[in-house]
Amino acid sequence: MTKKERQIVFDKYNGKCAYCGCELQKGWHVDHIEPIVRNWWNGTCEKPENETLENYNPSCASCNIQKNSHSLEQFRENIKQFVNSLNLYSTQYKFAKKYGLVKETEIEVKFYFETLTQQLDTKFVG
Ligand SMILES: [Zn+2]
């Protein structure tokens, strides 16, 4: 990837992570929206056709690492499951909940870029 292409990806959401919306820090990642599925053992990938500029999203390191080789919907589902895991395995979380420090909501997992699309839609309607 050229420096220019990397800059285009960075500018896509004004220097913010496409998923969580945080300000991108040095060492930010270029995510493949539709995964390329890397074969770590020989450096090849299973879907080289997904190696296009349109398929790149700017991502903070932690979102990119969590998303891994998943589609957007698999990534969304994984995030949803975190609450179940916390309830099953984290004593600290269960205590924080019991004492009212943490409250669960039933909100949908929305990615930052999806909220932007919504704002644009609202502008067109309004
Ligand atoms: Zn992020």
Side-chain angles (χ1 to χ4, degrees), residues 17-22 59-64:
C17 172
Y19 302 109
C20 71
C22 75
S59 175
C60 70
S62 59
C63 283
N64 189 241

Side-chain angles (χ1 to χ4, degrees), residues 3 9 36 40 42 45 65 83 90-91 97 102 106-107 113 117:
K3 252 189 158 166
V9 177
I36 54 169
W40 54 268
N42 64 7
C45 66
I65 291 163
V83 177
S90 172
T91 305
K97 198 167 111 180
V102 174
E106 298 294 316
I107 62 168
F113 74 89
T117 313

Side-chain angles (χ1 to χ4, degrees), residues 26-43:
K26 196 168 184 272
W28 61 277
H29 291 194
V30 174
D31 176 60
H32 296 84
I33 302 166
E34 289 299 323
I36 54 169
V37 191
R38 268 186 228 282
N39 298 317
W40 54 268
W41 55 91
N42 64 7

Side-chain angles (χ1 to χ4, degrees), residues 115-126:
T115 67
L116 295 179
T117 313
Q118 221 167 37
Q119 285 169 6
L120 282 179
D121 291 346
T122 311
K123 268 184 208 160
F124 285 123
V125 172

Side-chain angles (χ1 to χ4, degrees), residues 10-118:
F10 183 87
D11 291 339
K12 196 168 174 183
Y13 299 111
N14 294 317
K16 292 192 168 134
C17 172
Y19 302 109
C20 71
C22 75
E23 298 283 337
L24 294 173
Q25 305 294 315
K26 196 168 184 272
W28 61 277
H29 291 194
V30 174
D31 176 60
H32 296 84
I33 302 166
E34 289 299 323
I36 54 169
V37 191
R38 268 186 228 282
N39 298 317
W40 54 268
W41 55 91
N42 64 7
T44 62
C45 66
E46 289 177 23
K47 299 200 170 162
E49 69 274 17
N50 288 340
E51 199 69 77
T52 63
L53 197 53
E54 298 73 42
N55 192 41
Y56 296 149
N57 252 350
S59 175
C60 70
S62 59
C63 283
N64 189 241
I65 291 163
Q66 277 300 332
K67 186 167 172 285
N68 199 348
S69 291
H70 296 121
S71 69
L72 281 178
E73 293 318 309
Q74 289 168 318
F75 182 37
R76 192 189 315 275
E77 192 53 38
N78 288 347
I79 296 170
K80 271 168 79 175
Q81 293 306 319
F82 288 162
V83 177
N84 294 338
S85 298
L86 286 166
N87 278 310
L88 282 173
Y89 306 113
S90 172
T91 305
Q92 286 132 329
Y93 177 77
K94 284 187 269 189
F95 261 83
K97 198 167 111 180
K98 199 191 315 215
Y99 283 87
L101 304 175
V102 174
K103 289 226 186 302
E104 290 176 11
T105 66
E106 298 294 316
I107 62 168
E108 291 293 307
V109 175
K110 277 233 177 271
F111 297 121
Y112 177 68
F113 74 89
E114 294 170 326
T115 67
L116 295 179
T117 313
Q118 221 167 37

